[in-house]
Amino acid sequence: MDYYDKKYGIDSGLEVVENFHKQRRMFAIKDGVLHIAPENAPYSHAQWFTNEGWIKPGDDELMGSVIRGFVDNRGVFFYKDYDFSFNAKAQAEILSCLRELVDNLRLDLDLHLFAGLIKGGPGKKWPGQSDLGVLRDLLDK
């Protein structure tokens, strides 16, 4: 296991983990700017951030402050840190970028926005900690 795998508590080399990563589209909000990862990326946010030069093993404080998440066929999920938590600041940041995210990825407005993740086993789709509602309703506010 590499540095990030230990932090996440996941073996990123497992085929089921890579398959999960490929089927979702990552995003991050860094310094108020929405960033969208390449399609079909078979790696974690930590690896993406390393590729971007934002973090490196042993110098990864940014993972605790950058709001990140992904979109898949279940909805939009956002969180921070290695424990996939969220707080009011994270929620405010995602809501401030939600229209841009929806427009850039041409998201179905009937998808739900989920805050945080409840960790599960490899290859399982982890549920959100809190369902904030349907994108259509959140964009109308």
Side-chain angles (χ1 to χ4, degrees):
M1 251 193 226
D2 73 6
Y3 176 84
Y4 300 127
D5 284 357
K6 288 177 186 165
K7 291 275 205 150
Y8 279 124
I10 299 169
D11 182 351
S12 63
L14 294 174
E15 185 176 354
V16 293
V17 174
E18 286 183 9
N19 288 340
F20 166 74
H21 286 156
K22 287 179 191 176
Q23 65 82 40
R24 53 89 162 109
R25 188 75 180 269
M26 292 184 288
F27 66 86
I29 304 167
K30 180 179 177 287
D31 301 324
V33 176
L34 176 67
H35 299 267
I36 300 175
E39 288 185 80
N40 303 311
Y43 45 78
S44 70
H45 281 89
Q47 186 58 55
W48 176 36
F49 293 178
T50 298
N51 296 350
E52 294 294 319
W54 299 346
I55 66 172
K56 59 185 176 187
D59 183 11
D60 60 342
E61 287 181 31
L62 194 70
M63 291 296 283
S65 61
V66 167
I67 306 312
R68 66 188 199 280
F70 64 88
V71 176
D72 69 9
N73 62 357
R74 299 171 300 149
V76 177
F77 296 80
F78 74 93
Y79 42 86
K80 63 185 195 65
D81 222 333
Y82 288 104
D83 63 358
F84 307 100
S85 61
F86 72 99
N87 57 22
K89 181 180 177 200
Q91 186 170 327
E93 281 197 63
I94 190 68
L95 291 174
S96 73
C97 293
L98 192 58
R99 170 55 67 191
E100 183 181 3
L101 182 67
V102 165
D103 290 349
N104 281 331
L105 296 180
R106 298 185 192 129
L107 298 179
D108 178 345
L109 295 179
D110 290 325
L111 289 173
H112 284 242
L113 178 64
F114 298 96
L117 285 177
I118 300 169
K119 274 181 88 169
K124 306 290 183 203
K125 290 191 175 184
W126 303 350
Q129 292 176 14
S130 180
D131 183 344
L132 301 181
V134 177
L135 297 179
R136 176 183 326 283
D137 296 340
L138 294 167
L139 292 170
D140 288 341
K141 291 182 180 180

